[in-house]
Amino acid sequence: MVLNSRRLFGTNGIRGIVNKELTPELTVKIGCAIGSFFQRGKLIVGHDARTSSPMLAKAVIAGLNATGCDVLFAGMAPTPALQYAVKNHKVDGGVVITASHNPPEYNGIKVVWNDGIEISREQEIKIEEIFFQEVAHYAEWKNIGEEQTLTGIIDDYIGAIKRHVDVSRIAKKRYHVVVDAANSVAALAVPKLLRGLGCKVTTINANIDGTFPARPPEPRPENLIELARTVRAINADVGVAFDGDADRSIFVDETGEIHWGDKTFALVEKFFLMKNPGEKIVSPISSSTLVKDVADAYGGEVVWTKVGSVTVSHTMKRLNAKLGGEENGGIFYGPHLAVRDGGMATALILDIMAYTNKSLSSLLGELPKYFIEKGKVECPNELKEKVLEKIIEQTKGLNTSTVDGVKIWFEDKSSILMRPSGTEPLYRLYAEAKTKEKAEALIHEFSLKLKRIIDSVRG
Ligand code: MG
């Protein structure tokens, strides 16, 4: 959220530090802008488990009502459950108060269109114009919107997910699943979903606590040691960890190994393509080449996008693609809803395990193996574009993509992505190769090249 540059929305809705950047007053005003954009429509509002979420939900509802919008208030729920509710109840849109995986002092506002998918950048700009030009349409006293309570959305969401998997086949396996709910909204839906799939469920960090006392709400491998240990200690079949609003899920196999999201996504992709050959698979350019390997082997076509979940959703919508996935654990299953959804992803993984009668470690072990290394090089914001032009110029003739930064694929299946950070004055590097040494060497080689280019541009 950068108010002085007249921008509210970032890559994933509006985000800010509570009561410093994102105050209740500002949130009422944002609610008025959103309400004016929806022109007296009916919206579902809900929120995550953060300490500030009920307060900010009330503020946004006040703004929506003031501009004549009716609100169905669904309370605390996973973001994908709220998104599904918008589609399921055929309302005009929705507002979700959440800062997803950010630290507890943050919160955010996500605006959803009537199909359950986040609004487009063009629509965000319309809301920003209303906000910054202060042209909200306040309703007359007799047309102020009403608020009603909406119950049952989590059960509806669970029911919808179950329709996309073979419930009886999964139930026969009696899988033991450990759920790490990050002390947040996953706890409200996922254990119940899994019990409905006949699983035995052990939960950790499943008490709702907006201070996130157990681990940061970002499901990065270093935050999931307790989950991995628990899976091993009780001989569970699988472990799954969620982020703060339960749209991302990261899996741990029965040996306690934690797997990055593009690997589990590639597994889902493989079985999806076996049943639906020829389909388009949407994934950000930062994902592993594994996604392409699987598509090549099983008759799919990968569409690489810019990094960001909203871009993946909108690309799926535009191309009528049914499957998308990110390396951070976002899986988008279009037949349910083209948004990332941790509960849906968990059901899909169990469905594959039951269908193949194989453990998660052996299923993932069958996929091509890659080693990933990351790096960063400092670069002043004002030079980023010039630097990018230079990189593109110098990599002409190679097998590249310039959809977001520059990615180069080499003959030996290794690759390097150099991408300017959207938030910090630096370039991020992602290398991937068949050996760890090669991935490290690529980071080293291209960090030097990038530094040289930055120096030359600096002049
Ligand atoms: Mg999230």
Side-chain angles (χ1 to χ4, degrees):
M1 199 166 71
V2 197
L3 293 185
N4 50 14
S5 66
R6 297 173 83 81
R7 178 118 193 218
L8 287 174
F9 291 88
T11 49
N12 231 310
I14 299 167
R15 295 274 169 94
I17 296 174
V18 173
N19 285 353
K20 288 215 168 83
E21 297 160 315
L22 197 56
T23 61
E25 302 93 297
L26 190 77
T27 305
V28 172
K29 204 180 156 192
I30 293 170
C32 289
I34 297 169
S36 302
F37 169 76
F38 278 100
Q39 299 181 354
R40 301 175 62 181
K42 185 185 257 190
L43 283 88
I44 289 175
V45 175
H47 59 79
D48 69 11
R50 288 165 191 273
T51 54
S52 58
S53 290
M55 170 186 88
L56 294 177
K58 287 188 194 93
V60 91
I61 291 169
L64 292 171
N65 287 161
T67 47
C69 287
D70 291 327
V71 169
L72 295 174
F73 180 56
M76 193 190 290
T79 295
L82 290 161
Q83 291 181 281
Y84 177 74
V86 168
K87 178 181 146 187
N88 188 34
H89 286 273
K90 299 187 169 62
V91 291
D92 300 296
V95 178
V96 184
I97 305 295
T98 179
S100 185
H101 62 276
N102 288 148
E105 63 271 25
Y106 282 81
N107 215 327
I109 301 169
K110 201 187 261 264
V111 184
V112 173
W113 192 237
N114 62 14
D115 54 7
I117 296 172
E118 290 92 335
I119 56 170
S120 66
R121 180 63 201 140
E122 291 70 35
Q123 292 171 315
E124 287 174 357
I125 289 170
K126 285 189 182 148
I127 292 173
E128 286 171 345
E129 280 170 1
I130 297 167
F131 179 89
F132 288 107
Q133 292 168 15
E134 306 197 345
V135 289
H137 308 289
Y138 290 97
E140 265 189 86
W141 63 271
K142 57 183 187 294
N143 293 327
I144 287 169
E146 289 178 359
E147 181 190 338
Q148 286 179 332
T149 302
L150 178 64
T151 57
I153 70 152
I154 291 178
D155 285 336
D156 293 342
Y157 166 71
I158 290 171
I161 290 174
K162 284 163 73 179
R163 287 198 286 277
H164 293 286
V165 294
D166 190 332
V167 176
S168 65
R169 189 163 59 202
I170 298 170
K172 273 190 203 123
K173 296 289 181 185
R174 306 285 300 153
Y175 288 124
H176 188 174
V177 185
V178 185
V179 174
D180 178 347
N183 297 104
S184 195
V185 289
L188 303 176
V190 178
K192 195 169 180 185
L193 165 67
L194 292 175
R195 283 186 205 105
L197 295 173
C199 298
K200 183 178 173 188
V201 184
T202 298
T203 55
I204 60 171
N205 311 324
N207 56 316
I208 299 288
D209 188 335
T211 67
F212 303 120
R215 66 162 172 91
E218 167 121 58
R220 299 183 57 80
E222 61 266 31
N223 297 334
L224 306 181
I225 308 298
E226 188 194 3
L227 173 64
R229 275 199 200 122
T230 308
V231 168
R232 263 200 317 269
I234 63 176
N235 283 319
D237 296 292
V238 56
V240 57
F242 297 86
D243 75 326
D245 67 338
D247 59 353
R248 285 162 54 192
S249 51
I250 292 287
F251 292 84
V252 174
D253 70 28
E254 78 288 356
T255 72
E257 190 180 341
I258 303 163
H259 297 277
W260 258 122
D262 35 11
K263 217 161 151 190
T264 39
F265 171 55
L267 181 63
V268 171
E269 180 194 1
K270 174 177 164 179
F271 285 88
F272 173 78
L273 286 174
M274 279 165 65
K275 283 184 205 153
N276 308 279
E279 286 285 341
K280 290 189 174 72
I281 306 296
V282 180
S283 194
I285 192 72
S286 54
S287 294
S288 171
T289 301
L290 191 49
V291 175
K292 174 105 180 15
D293 292 345
V294 169
D296 289 346
Y298 296 92
E301 183 198 334
V302 179
V303 179
W304 299 114
T305 69
K306 279 186 187 300
V307 175
S309 66
V310 180
T311 306
V312 174
S313 288
H314 282 269
T315 306
M316 287 177 69
K317 198 162 142 174
R318 184 165 49 82
L319 301 175
N320 197 21
K322 295 186 186 67
L323 187 67
E326 304 172 299
E327 44 85 44
N328 63 14
I331 292 182
F332 309 62
Y333 190 62
H336 171 59
L337 186 57
V339 300
R340 56 186 184 189
D341 187 334
M344 187 70 241
T346 307
L348 289 170
I349 292 290
L350 292 172
D351 200 35
I352 293 167
M353 287 168 61
Y355 171 73
T356 56
N357 200 22
K358 286 179 181 170
S359 66
L360 187 57
S361 70
S362 59
L363 283 163
L364 293 170
E366 289 166 5
L367 297 170
K369 199 164 171 59
Y370 285 95
F371 292 85
I372 293 165
E373 292 293 325
K374 294 180 184 179
K376 52 189 170 190
V377 173
E378 279 174 35
C379 175
N381 286 330
E382 63 275 15
L383 296 185
K384 279 176 179 171
E385 223 172 284
K386 270 228 154 110
V387 169
L388 190 60
E389 283 168 22
K390 270 257 156 117
I391 306 171
I392 293 173
E393 204 181 289
Q394 293 191 8
T395 52
K396 264 202 189 115
L398 298 173
N399 181 12
T400 60
S401 164
T402 55
V403 66
D404 197 349
V406 178
K407 186 162 185 171
I408 313 166
W409 289 276
F410 303 99
E411 289 283 333
D412 64 354
K413 303 221 90 177
S414 62
S415 65
I416 180 97
L417 169 64
M418 291 166 277
R419 204 180 138 249
S421 163
T423 50
E424 291 168 84
L426 47 88
Y427 262 79
R428 294 188 188 284
L429 290 89
Y430 308 74
E432 191 175 46
K434 288 287 177 188
T435 66
K436 188 171 161 55
E437 293 69 31
K438 176 72 203 246
E440 284 170 351
L442 280 170
I443 290 287
H444 183 72
E445 179 190 343
F446 281 87
S447 295
L448 285 178
K449 280 192 176 155
L450 200 50
K451 277 178 197 154
R452 246 177 270 140
I453 291 176
I454 293 166
D455 285 344
S456 75
V457 165
R458 208 181 254 131

